[in-house]
Amino acid sequence: MPSQTAPRPASAAESTPIGYFTAANSADVVIARMEGCPNDRLKTIVSALVRHLHAAIKEVELTTEEWAAAIDFLTRTGQICSDWRQEFILLSDVLGASMLVDAINHDKGGGTTESTVLGPFHVENAPRRALGDSICLDGIGEPVLVRGRVTDEAGRPIPHALLDVWQANGDGFYDVQQQGLQPEMNLRGLFEADDEGRFWFRSIVPQYYAIPHDGPVGQLLIALGRHPYRPAHIHFIVAADGYEPVTTHIFMPGDPYLESDAVFGVKESLIATLRDLDEPAPAGAGEAPKRVVEWDFRLMRRRATPAEPLS
């Protein structure tokens, strides 16, 4: 296999002289070195990052010790990442970056279901479950029936839409955080809506919980005087052929952290209603739920092919 080599430096004739690096022209000098970048989008993004980073360093007159501490923080953030823990996603979340990117890219309008952050604990290939099944495999928690419909923007049902569902247990932990304690794939499931776009499954009433705060991101929150709590919610990814998928949550009403979510993920339109179930629960194994959450998802028809990722 041929070895990869760095790009050939531009000759004096090919480059535009801009002067030696100084505090005054620092960003311009760094950006000028990207003249040979063949990817215009990458060049645009990195140039903007350089401008804002250099401007921030100058604004606060960052010390050598502070910059070393920042590098140490980022190093420890990477070192704590594992197959089930993504500390950089957590960092993005608590700084509001995840929600900002989401807001810019998913401003759908038209009454479709709003999106929110994916979070660091989604797992691919959740088990397919039948409508009416429970995703709670250990039977711990207050049973709840979750039901609703998947429709288009006009309220027409979307048959056989897929709903990927996951949530934390009553103690505020996802199964991947308690391997060996919780059953594998506890509180996760993939459901297919029926011919009328209807879905229903059993779970437990979610509780608010703290995001992982035993690592660098948690230390940052403490230093900033912030709490690590997320309001109670159930995660969903809802998808159907010909429609834009939506990654979202439904939040429980009355939660004390709705207005101070540590990852800024709450949107008012995603706060559900939790009420007593005033009819017999659908047949199924386990304790019959006495509470119900009813929620309809509205999907937008698929847009044109999105821009290709950076390479």
mmCIF file of all heavy atoms in Angstrom, residues 16-67:
data_model
loop_
_atom_site.group_PDB
_atom_site.id
_atom_site.type_symbol
_atom_site.label_atom_id
_atom_site.label_comp_id
_atom_site.label_asym_id
_atom_site.label_seq_id
_atom_site.Cartn_x
_atom_site.Cartn_y
_atom_site.Cartn_z
ATOM 1 N N THR A 16 0.642 33.736 -0.922
ATOM 2 C CA THR A 16 0.485 35.174 -0.777
ATOM 3 C C THR A 16 1.172 35.614 0.504
ATOM 4 O O THR A 16 0.736 35.231 1.590
ATOM 5 C CB THR A 16 -1.005 35.547 -0.718
ATOM 6 O OG1 THR A 16 -1.645 35.072 -1.900
ATOM 7 C CG2 THR A 16 -1.180 37.053 -0.603
ATOM 8 N N PRO A 17 2.255 36.384 0.404
ATOM 9 C CA PRO A 17 2.950 36.810 1.628
ATOM 10 C C PRO A 17 2.010 37.598 2.525
ATOM 11 O O PRO A 17 1.270 38.466 2.071
ATOM 12 C CB PRO A 17 4.084 37.694 1.093
ATOM 13 C CG PRO A 17 4.214 37.348 -0.358
ATOM 14 C CD PRO A 17 2.869 36.938 -0.813
ATOM 15 N N ILE A 18 2.011 37.280 3.805
ATOM 16 C CA ILE A 18 1.150 37.984 4.743
ATOM 17 C C ILE A 18 1.938 38.443 5.970
ATOM 18 O O ILE A 18 1.408 39.099 6.844
ATOM 19 C CB ILE A 18 -0.030 37.081 5.153
ATOM 20 C CG1 ILE A 18 -1.117 37.894 5.850
ATOM 21 C CG2 ILE A 18 0.441 35.909 5.994
ATOM 22 C CD1 ILE A 18 -2.400 37.131 6.064
ATOM 23 N N GLY A 19 3.195 38.098 6.016
ATOM 24 C CA GLY A 19 4.018 38.529 7.135
ATOM 25 C C GLY A 19 4.176 37.437 8.177
ATOM 26 O O GLY A 19 3.524 36.398 8.124
ATOM 27 N N TYR A 20 5.075 37.655 9.108
ATOM 28 C CA TYR A 20 5.305 36.703 10.176
ATOM 29 C C TYR A 20 4.161 36.732 11.195
ATOM 30 O O TYR A 20 3.419 37.706 11.289
ATOM 31 C CB TYR A 20 6.637 36.994 10.877
ATOM 32 C CG TYR A 20 7.834 36.717 10.004
ATOM 33 C CD1 TYR A 20 8.569 37.765 9.444
ATOM 34 C CD2 TYR A 20 8.233 35.402 9.747
ATOM 35 C CE1 TYR A 20 9.673 37.508 8.629
ATOM 36 C CE2 TYR A 20 9.340 35.148 8.941
ATOM 37 C CZ TYR A 20 10.056 36.191 8.386
ATOM 38 O OH TYR A 20 11.129 35.929 7.587
ATOM 39 N N PHE A 21 4.044 35.648 11.940
ATOM 40 C CA PHE A 21 2.982 35.488 12.947
ATOM 41 C C PHE A 21 3.170 36.501 14.067
ATOM 42 O O PHE A 21 4.239 36.591 14.670
ATOM 43 C CB PHE A 21 3.031 34.067 13.499
ATOM 44 C CG PHE A 21 1.932 33.725 14.474
ATOM 45 C CD1 PHE A 21 0.842 32.965 14.066
ATOM 46 C CD2 PHE A 21 1.991 34.126 15.802
ATOM 47 C CE1 PHE A 21 -0.161 32.631 14.955
ATOM 48 C CE2 PHE A 21 0.985 33.797 16.703
ATOM 49 C CZ PHE A 21 -0.097 33.043 16.264
ATOM 50 N N THR A 22 2.132 37.270 14.363
ATOM 51 C CA THR A 22 2.125 38.183 15.505
ATOM 52 C C THR A 22 0.769 38.059 16.199
ATOM 53 O O THR A 22 -0.180 37.480 15.648
ATOM 54 C CB THR A 22 2.320 39.653 15.081
ATOM 55 O OG1 THR A 22 1.168 40.077 14.342
ATOM 56 C CG2 THR A 22 3.574 39.824 14.241
ATOM 57 N N ALA A 23 0.665 38.625 17.379
ATOM 58 C CA ALA A 23 -0.620 38.606 18.077
ATOM 59 C C ALA A 23 -1.681 39.351 17.277
ATOM 60 O O ALA A 23 -2.859 38.977 17.279
ATOM 61 C CB ALA A 23 -0.466 39.214 19.468
ATOM 62 N N ALA A 24 -1.282 40.369 16.569
ATOM 63 C CA ALA A 24 -2.247 41.180 15.828
ATOM 64 C C ALA A 24 -2.813 40.448 14.606
ATOM 65 O O ALA A 24 -3.995 40.558 14.300
ATOM 66 C CB ALA A 24 -1.601 42.498 15.404
ATOM 67 N N ASN A 25 -1.960 39.707 13.900
ATOM 68 C CA ASN A 25 -2.402 39.081 12.638
ATOM 69 C C ASN A 25 -2.495 37.562 12.736
ATOM 70 O O ASN A 25 -2.525 36.870 11.718
ATOM 71 C CB ASN A 25 -1.474 39.476 11.496
ATOM 72 C CG ASN A 25 -0.100 38.813 11.595
ATOM 73 O OD1 ASN A 25 0.183 38.097 12.569
ATOM 74 N ND2 ASN A 25 0.756 39.042 10.616
ATOM 75 N N SER A 26 -2.553 37.030 13.936
ATOM 76 C CA SER A 26 -2.426 35.587 14.146
ATOM 77 C C SER A 26 -3.419 34.770 13.329
ATOM 78 O O SER A 26 -3.056 33.799 12.648
ATOM 79 C CB SER A 26 -2.587 35.258 15.634
ATOM 80 O OG SER A 26 -3.877 35.631 16.096
ATOM 81 N N ALA A 27 -4.689 35.132 13.362
ATOM 82 C CA ALA A 27 -5.697 34.343 12.647
ATOM 83 C C ALA A 27 -5.468 34.417 11.143
ATOM 84 O O ALA A 27 -5.579 33.410 10.434
ATOM 85 C CB ALA A 27 -7.092 34.830 13.005
ATOM 86 N N ASP A 28 -5.125 35.596 10.639
ATOM 87 C CA ASP A 28 -4.910 35.748 9.200
ATOM 88 C C ASP A 28 -3.751 34.884 8.725
ATOM 89 O O ASP A 28 -3.812 34.274 7.643
ATOM 90 C CB ASP A 28 -4.633 37.213 8.864
ATOM 91 C CG ASP A 28 -5.858 38.091 9.070
ATOM 92 O OD1 ASP A 28 -6.983 37.551 9.012
ATOM 93 O OD2 ASP A 28 -5.685 39.307 9.295
ATOM 94 N N VAL A 29 -2.695 34.817 9.504
ATOM 95 C CA VAL A 29 -1.533 34.021 9.122
ATOM 96 C C VAL A 29 -1.885 32.535 9.071
ATOM 97 O O VAL A 29 -1.534 31.823 8.128
ATOM 98 C CB VAL A 29 -0.358 34.264 10.095
ATOM 99 C CG1 VAL A 29 0.781 33.278 9.829
ATOM 100 C CG2 VAL A 29 0.149 35.687 9.958
ATOM 101 N N VAL A 30 -2.599 32.057 10.099
ATOM 102 C CA VAL A 30 -2.976 30.639 10.131
ATOM 103 C C VAL A 30 -3.907 30.298 8.968
ATOM 104 O O VAL A 30 -3.743 29.291 8.280
ATOM 105 C CB VAL A 30 -3.635 30.291 11.478
ATOM 106 C CG1 VAL A 30 -4.167 28.859 11.460
ATOM 107 C CG2 VAL A 30 -2.636 30.467 12.618
ATOM 108 N N ILE A 31 -4.893 31.164 8.714
ATOM 109 C CA ILE A 31 -5.857 30.890 7.648
ATOM 110 C C ILE A 31 -5.181 30.931 6.278
ATOM 111 O O ILE A 31 -5.523 30.158 5.370
ATOM 112 C CB ILE A 31 -7.022 31.900 7.727
ATOM 113 C CG1 ILE A 31 -7.849 31.623 8.987
ATOM 114 C CG2 ILE A 31 -7.907 31.838 6.490
ATOM 115 C CD1 ILE A 31 -8.846 32.711 9.333
ATOM 116 N N ALA A 32 -4.177 31.796 6.126
ATOM 117 C CA ALA A 32 -3.466 31.881 4.842
ATOM 118 C C ALA A 32 -2.773 30.567 4.499
ATOM 119 O O ALA A 32 -2.598 30.234 3.320
ATOM 120 C CB ALA A 32 -2.452 33.024 4.879
ATOM 121 N N ARG A 33 -2.372 29.811 5.520
ATOM 122 C CA ARG A 33 -1.707 28.528 5.264
ATOM 123 C C ARG A 33 -2.661 27.492 4.666
ATOM 124 O O ARG A 33 -2.225 26.429 4.253
ATOM 125 C CB ARG A 33 -1.126 27.979 6.569
ATOM 126 C CG ARG A 33 -0.082 28.870 7.228
ATOM 127 C CD ARG A 33 1.260 28.811 6.527
ATOM 128 N NE ARG A 33 2.196 29.735 7.138
ATOM 129 C CZ ARG A 33 3.014 29.429 8.139
ATOM 130 N NH1 ARG A 33 2.977 28.204 8.644
ATOM 131 N NH2 ARG A 33 3.842 30.317 8.627
ATOM 132 N N MET A 34 -3.970 27.779 4.649
ATOM 133 C CA MET A 34 -4.948 26.824 4.127
ATOM 134 C C MET A 34 -5.263 27.073 2.651
ATOM 135 O O MET A 34 -6.209 26.497 2.108
ATOM 136 C CB MET A 34 -6.256 26.913 4.933
ATOM 137 C CG MET A 34 -6.104 26.716 6.419
ATOM 138 S SD MET A 34 -7.711 26.901 7.256
ATOM 139 C CE MET A 34 -7.175 27.272 8.925
ATOM 140 N N GLU A 35 -4.493 27.921 1.995
ATOM 141 C CA GLU A 35 -4.778 28.261 0.606
ATOM 142 C C GLU A 35 -4.907 27.026 -0.282
ATOM 143 O O GLU A 35 -5.704 26.988 -1.212
ATOM 144 C CB GLU A 35 -3.686 29.182 0.047
ATOM 145 C CG GLU A 35 -3.822 30.626 0.480
ATOM 146 C CD GLU A 35 -2.779 31.514 -0.197
ATOM 147 O OE1 GLU A 35 -1.891 30.960 -0.874
ATOM 148 O OE2 GLU A 35 -2.855 32.740 -0.047
ATOM 149 N N GLY A 36 -4.108 26.008 -0.003
ATOM 150 C CA GLY A 36 -4.108 24.825 -0.853
ATOM 151 C C GLY A 36 -5.161 23.790 -0.501
ATOM 152 O O GLY A 36 -5.186 22.707 -1.102
ATOM 153 N N CYS A 37 -6.044 24.094 0.450
ATOM 154 C CA CYS A 37 -7.059 23.116 0.864
ATOM 155 C C CYS A 37 -8.031 22.860 -0.289
ATOM 156 O O CYS A 37 -8.675 23.792 -0.775
ATOM 157 C CB CYS A 37 -7.816 23.624 2.088
ATOM 158 S SG CYS A 37 -9.130 22.505 2.644
ATOM 159 N N PRO A 38 -8.182 21.603 -0.719
ATOM 160 C CA PRO A 38 -9.066 21.310 -1.851
ATOM 161 C C PRO A 38 -10.544 21.238 -1.465
ATOM 162 O O PRO A 38 -11.399 21.197 -2.346
ATOM 163 C CB PRO A 38 -8.572 19.941 -2.327
ATOM 164 C CG PRO A 38 -8.046 19.279 -1.094
ATOM 165 C CD PRO A 38 -7.452 20.392 -0.269
ATOM 166 N N ASN A 39 -10.832 21.213 -0.185
ATOM 167 C CA ASN A 39 -12.216 21.091 0.288
ATOM 168 C C ASN A 39 -12.676 22.455 0.790
ATOM 169 O O ASN A 39 -12.316 22.894 1.878
ATOM 170 C CB ASN A 39 -12.290 20.044 1.409
ATOM 171 C CG ASN A 39 -13.708 19.745 1.847
ATOM 172 O OD1 ASN A 39 -14.548 20.637 1.924
ATOM 173 N ND2 ASN A 39 -13.977 18.485 2.168
ATOM 174 N N ASP A 40 -13.483 23.129 -0.022
ATOM 175 C CA ASP A 40 -13.892 24.493 0.322
ATOM 176 C C ASP A 40 -14.692 24.547 1.626
ATOM 177 O O ASP A 40 -14.553 25.491 2.408
ATOM 178 C CB ASP A 40 -14.724 25.093 -0.820
ATOM 179 C CG ASP A 40 -13.880 25.419 -2.043
ATOM 180 O OD1 ASP A 40 -12.649 25.554 -1.881
ATOM 181 O OD2 ASP A 40 -14.450 25.546 -3.142
ATOM 182 N N ARG A 41 -15.554 23.552 1.829
ATOM 183 C CA ARG A 41 -16.373 23.559 3.049
ATOM 184 C C ARG A 41 -15.502 23.369 4.288
ATOM 185 O O ARG A 41 -15.683 24.055 5.299
ATOM 186 C CB ARG A 41 -17.427 22.450 2.974
ATOM 187 C CG ARG A 41 -18.336 22.356 4.190
ATOM 188 C CD ARG A 41 -19.120 23.634 4.431
ATOM 189 N NE ARG A 41 -20.047 23.487 5.553
ATOM 190 C CZ ARG A 41 -20.669 24.495 6.137
ATOM 191 N NH1 ARG A 41 -20.489 25.740 5.706
ATOM 192 N NH2 ARG A 41 -21.497 24.274 7.148
ATOM 193 N N LEU A 42 -14.539 22.456 4.226
ATOM 194 C CA LEU A 42 -13.618 22.244 5.347
ATOM 195 C C LEU A 42 -12.832 23.510 5.622
ATOM 196 O O LEU A 42 -12.662 23.925 6.783
ATOM 197 C CB LEU A 42 -12.678 21.078 5.043
ATOM 198 C CG LEU A 42 -11.605 20.783 6.089
ATOM 199 C CD1 LEU A 42 -12.242 20.394 7.421
ATOM 200 C CD2 LEU A 42 -10.662 19.694 5.598
ATOM 201 N N LYS A 43 -12.371 24.166 4.566
ATOM 202 C CA LYS A 43 -11.605 25.404 4.729
ATOM 203 C C LYS A 43 -12.452 26.477 5.398
ATOM 204 O O LYS A 43 -11.988 27.195 6.292
ATOM 205 C CB LYS A 43 -11.112 25.886 3.363
ATOM 206 C CG LYS A 43 -10.276 27.158 3.412
ATOM 207 C CD LYS A 43 -9.826 27.548 2.015
ATOM 208 C CE LYS A 43 -9.047 28.860 2.037
ATOM 209 N NZ LYS A 43 -8.629 29.279 0.672
ATOM 210 N N THR A 44 -13.722 26.583 5.001
ATOM 211 C CA THR A 44 -14.619 27.574 5.585
ATOM 212 C C THR A 44 -14.822 27.329 7.076
ATOM 213 O O THR A 44 -14.759 28.252 7.896
ATOM 214 C CB THR A 44 -15.978 27.543 4.864
ATOM 215 O OG1 THR A 44 -15.789 27.921 3.497
ATOM 216 C CG2 THR A 44 -16.968 28.498 5.525
ATOM 217 N N ILE A 45 -15.052 26.053 7.422
ATOM 218 C CA ILE A 45 -15.321 25.717 8.822
ATOM 219 C C ILE A 45 -14.087 25.963 9.693
ATOM 220 O O ILE A 45 -14.170 26.602 10.750
ATOM 221 C CB ILE A 45 -15.783 24.248 8.933
ATOM 222 C CG1 ILE A 45 -17.169 24.074 8.296
ATOM 223 C CG2 ILE A 45 -15.816 23.806 10.398
ATOM 224 C CD1 ILE A 45 -17.616 22.629 8.171
ATOM 225 N N VAL A 46 -12.930 25.457 9.261
ATOM 226 C CA VAL A 46 -11.718 25.609 10.080
ATOM 227 C C VAL A 46 -11.300 27.072 10.156
ATOM 228 O O VAL A 46 -10.841 27.548 11.212
ATOM 229 C CB VAL A 46 -10.587 24.720 9.536
ATOM 230 C CG1 VAL A 46 -9.296 24.950 10.331
ATOM 231 C CG2 VAL A 46 -10.974 23.245 9.599
ATOM 232 N N SER A 47 -11.474 27.816 9.080
ATOM 233 C CA SER A 47 -11.142 29.242 9.113
ATOM 234 C C SER A 47 -11.989 29.978 10.143
ATOM 235 O O SER A 47 -11.485 30.814 10.907
ATOM 236 C CB SER A 47 -11.354 29.865 7.724
ATOM 237 O OG SER A 47 -10.476 29.315 6.767
ATOM 238 N N ALA A 48 -13.288 29.671 10.184
ATOM 239 C CA ALA A 48 -14.155 30.307 11.174
ATOM 240 C C ALA A 48 -13.746 29.921 12.592
ATOM 241 O O ALA A 48 -13.729 30.762 13.501
ATOM 242 C CB ALA A 48 -15.610 29.923 10.912
ATOM 243 N N LEU A 49 -13.435 28.636 12.789
ATOM 244 C CA LEU A 49 -12.985 28.194 14.114
ATOM 245 C C LEU A 49 -11.726 28.932 14.545
ATOM 246 O O LEU A 49 -11.605 29.359 15.701
ATOM 247 C CB LEU A 49 -12.742 26.680 14.104
ATOM 248 C CG LEU A 49 -13.972 25.785 14.074
ATOM 249 C CD1 LEU A 49 -13.575 24.328 13.879
ATOM 250 C CD2 LEU A 49 -14.779 25.928 15.358
ATOM 251 N N VAL A 50 -10.783 29.076 13.631
ATOM 252 C CA VAL A 50 -9.536 29.767 13.957
ATOM 253 C C VAL A 50 -9.809 31.224 14.325
ATOM 254 O O VAL A 50 -9.286 31.735 15.324
ATOM 255 C CB VAL A 50 -8.550 29.666 12.773
ATOM 256 C CG1 VAL A 50 -7.366 30.634 12.968
ATOM 257 C CG2 VAL A 50 -8.034 28.242 12.628
ATOM 258 N N ARG A 51 -10.640 31.895 13.527
ATOM 259 C CA ARG A 51 -10.938 33.300 13.822
ATOM 260 C C ARG A 51 -11.535 33.471 15.223
ATOM 261 O O ARG A 51 -11.116 34.331 15.997
ATOM 262 C CB ARG A 51 -11.923 33.861 12.787
ATOM 263 C CG ARG A 51 -11.326 34.104 11.413
ATOM 264 C CD ARG A 51 -12.271 34.928 10.548
ATOM 265 N NE ARG A 51 -11.855 34.878 9.153
ATOM 266 C CZ ARG A 51 -12.360 34.053 8.249
ATOM 267 N NH1 ARG A 51 -13.319 33.195 8.615
ATOM 268 N NH2 ARG A 51 -11.938 34.071 7.015
ATOM 269 N N HIS A 52 -12.549 32.631 15.529
ATOM 270 C CA HIS A 52 -13.221 32.790 16.815
ATOM 271 C C HIS A 52 -12.336 32.347 17.985
ATOM 272 O O HIS A 52 -12.378 32.947 19.053
ATOM 273 C CB HIS A 52 -14.537 32.005 16.802
ATOM 274 C CG HIS A 52 -15.584 32.629 15.924
ATOM 275 N ND1 HIS A 52 -16.293 33.753 16.295
ATOM 276 C CD2 HIS A 52 -16.027 32.302 14.684
ATOM 277 C CE1 HIS A 52 -17.131 34.090 15.337
ATOM 278 N NE2 HIS A 52 -16.992 33.226 14.339
ATOM 279 N N LEU A 53 -11.546 31.294 17.784
ATOM 280 C CA LEU A 53 -10.647 30.842 18.845
ATOM 281 C C LEU A 53 -9.607 31.904 19.157
ATOM 282 O O LEU A 53 -9.366 32.240 20.329
ATOM 283 C CB LEU A 53 -9.971 29.528 18.436
ATOM 284 C CG LEU A 53 -8.899 28.995 19.385
ATOM 285 C CD1 LEU A 53 -9.504 28.689 20.759
ATOM 286 C CD2 LEU A 53 -8.235 27.748 18.808
ATOM 287 N N HIS A 54 -8.991 32.445 18.130
ATOM 288 C CA HIS A 54 -7.965 33.469 18.355
ATOM 289 C C HIS A 54 -8.584 34.715 18.982
ATOM 290 O O HIS A 54 -7.979 35.339 19.867
ATOM 291 C CB HIS A 54 -7.268 33.817 17.035
ATOM 292 C CG HIS A 54 -6.292 32.781 16.590
ATOM 293 N ND1 HIS A 54 -5.008 33.074 16.171
ATOM 294 C CD2 HIS A 54 -6.398 31.434 16.502
ATOM 295 C CE1 HIS A 54 -4.379 31.947 15.836
ATOM 296 N NE2 HIS A 54 -5.212 30.946 16.031
ATOM 297 N N ALA A 55 -9.794 35.076 18.543
ATOM 298 C CA ALA A 55 -10.451 36.253 19.113
ATOM 299 C C ALA A 55 -10.760 36.042 20.598
ATOM 300 O O ALA A 55 -10.597 36.959 21.419
ATOM 301 C CB ALA A 55 -11.738 36.558 18.342
ATOM 302 N N ALA A 56 -11.191 34.828 20.958
ATOM 303 C CA ALA A 56 -11.493 34.538 22.364
ATOM 304 C C ALA A 56 -10.226 34.587 23.221
ATOM 305 O O ALA A 56 -10.230 35.124 24.335
ATOM 306 C CB ALA A 56 -12.153 33.167 22.487
ATOM 307 N N ILE A 57 -9.143 34.012 22.711
ATOM 308 C CA ILE A 57 -7.879 34.028 23.451
ATOM 309 C C ILE A 57 -7.418 35.465 23.711
ATOM 310 O O ILE A 57 -6.969 35.817 24.813
ATOM 311 C CB ILE A 57 -6.800 33.236 22.677
ATOM 312 C CG1 ILE A 57 -7.134 31.742 22.693
ATOM 313 C CG2 ILE A 57 -5.413 33.479 23.265
ATOM 314 C CD1 ILE A 57 -6.248 30.904 21.801
ATOM 315 N N LYS A 58 -7.578 36.321 22.695
ATOM 316 C CA LYS A 58 -7.174 37.727 22.851
ATOM 317 C C LYS A 58 -8.110 38.469 23.801
ATOM 318 O O LYS A 58 -7.667 39.283 24.621
ATOM 319 C CB LYS A 58 -7.151 38.415 21.483
ATOM 320 C CG LYS A 58 -6.092 37.875 20.539
ATOM 321 C CD LYS A 58 -6.237 38.465 19.146
ATOM 322 C CE LYS A 58 -5.289 37.814 18.160
ATOM 323 N NZ LYS A 58 -5.422 38.347 16.785
ATOM 324 N N GLU A 59 -9.416 38.175 23.701
ATOM 325 C CA GLU A 59 -10.400 38.884 24.526
ATOM 326 C C GLU A 59 -10.151 38.670 26.011
ATOM 327 O O GLU A 59 -10.216 39.618 26.808
ATOM 328 C CB GLU A 59 -11.813 38.420 24.173
ATOM 329 C CG GLU A 59 -12.897 39.073 25.018
ATOM 330 C CD GLU A 59 -14.286 38.556 24.689
ATOM 331 O OE1 GLU A 59 -14.469 37.978 23.601
ATOM 332 O OE2 GLU A 59 -15.192 38.724 25.530
ATOM 333 N N VAL A 60 -9.841 37.417 26.395
ATOM 334 C CA VAL A 60 -9.655 37.119 27.821
ATOM 335 C C VAL A 60 -8.190 37.166 28.233
ATOM 336 O O VAL A 60 -7.869 36.966 29.400
ATOM 337 C CB VAL A 60 -10.259 35.748 28.187
ATOM 338 C CG1 VAL A 60 -11.736 35.707 27.842
ATOM 339 C CG2 VAL A 60 -9.514 34.596 27.497
ATOM 340 N N GLU A 61 -7.297 37.410 27.263
ATOM 341 C CA GLU A 61 -5.855 37.417 27.522
ATOM 342 C C GLU A 61 -5.447 36.133 28.252
ATOM 343 O O GLU A 61 -4.903 36.156 29.363
ATOM 344 C CB GLU A 61 -5.440 38.659 28.312
ATOM 345 C CG GLU A 61 -5.701 39.955 27.547
ATOM 346 C CD GLU A 61 -5.209 41.192 28.270
ATOM 347 O OE1 GLU A 61 -4.969 41.119 29.500
ATOM 348 O OE2 GLU A 61 -5.049 42.234 27.607
ATOM 349 N N LEU A 62 -5.714 35.014 27.597
ATOM 350 C CA LEU A 62 -5.493 33.697 28.178
ATOM 351 C C LEU A 62 -4.037 33.512 28.583
ATOM 352 O O LEU A 62 -3.118 33.834 27.818
ATOM 353 C CB LEU A 62 -5.883 32.624 27.159
ATOM 354 C CG LEU A 62 -6.193 31.240 27.694
ATOM 355 C CD1 LEU A 62 -7.494 31.240 28.484
ATOM 356 C CD2 LEU A 62 -6.297 30.240 26.539
ATOM 357 N N THR A 63 -3.821 32.960 29.778
ATOM 358 C CA THR A 63 -2.458 32.716 30.237
ATOM 359 C C THR A 63 -1.976 31.353 29.759
ATOM 360 O O THR A 63 -2.769 30.487 29.366
ATOM 361 C CB THR A 63 -2.379 32.750 31.767
ATOM 362 O OG1 THR A 63 -3.087 31.618 32.299
ATOM 363 C CG2 THR A 63 -2.975 34.034 32.320
ATOM 364 N N THR A 64 -0.670 31.158 29.816
ATOM 365 C CA THR A 64 -0.080 29.872 29.434
ATOM 366 C C THR A 64 -0.625 28.761 30.312
ATOM 367 O O THR A 64 -0.944 27.666 29.835
ATOM 368 C CB THR A 64 1.453 29.936 29.566
ATOM 369 O OG1 THR A 64 1.958 30.989 28.741
ATOM 370 C CG2 THR A 64 2.093 28.615 29.163
ATOM 371 N N GLU A 65 -0.778 29.036 31.600
ATOM 372 C CA GLU A 65 -1.277 28.021 32.529
ATOM 373 C C GLU A 65 -2.733 27.669 32.228
ATOM 374 O O GLU A 65 -3.137 26.505 32.301
ATOM 375 C CB GLU A 65 -1.157 28.522 33.971
ATOM 376 C CG GLU A 65 0.281 28.695 34.469
ATOM 377 C CD GLU A 65 0.965 29.938 33.928
ATOM 378 O OE1 GLU A 65 0.246 30.854 33.438
ATOM 379 O OE2 GLU A 65 2.211 30.007 33.969
ATOM 380 N N GLU A 66 -3.528 28.667 31.864
ATOM 381 C CA GLU A 66 -4.940 28.409 31.537
ATOM 382 C C GLU A 66 -5.078 27.584 30.262
ATOM 383 O O GLU A 66 -5.927 26.698 30.159
ATOM 384 C CB GLU A 66 -5.697 29.730 31.417
ATOM 385 C CG GLU A 66 -5.900 30.424 32.760
ATOM 386 C CD GLU A 66 -6.294 31.876 32.622
ATOM 387 O OE1 GLU A 66 -6.095 32.466 31.529
ATOM 388 O OE2 GLU A 66 -6.803 32.445 33.616
ATOM 389 N N TRP A 67 -4.235 27.871 29.269
ATOM 390 C CA TRP A 67 -4.278 27.092 28.032
ATOM 391 C C TRP A 67 -3.822 25.655 28.291
ATOM 392 O O TRP A 67 -4.406 24.699 27.758
ATOM 393 C CB TRP A 67 -3.414 27.742 26.960
ATOM 394 C CG TRP A 67 -3.509 27.078 25.613
ATOM 395 C CD1 TRP A 67 -2.489 26.559 24.886
ATOM 396 C CD2 TRP A 67 -4.702 26.863 24.836
ATOM 397 N NE1 TRP A 67 -2.951 26.044 23.710
ATOM 398 C CE2 TRP A 67 -4.308 26.209 23.648
ATOM 399 C CE3 TRP A 67 -6.046 27.161 25.026
ATOM 400 C CZ2 TRP A 67 -5.227 25.849 22.660
ATOM 401 C CZ3 TRP A 67 -6.957 26.795 24.044
ATOM 402 C CH2 TRP A 67 -6.551 26.152 22.884
#
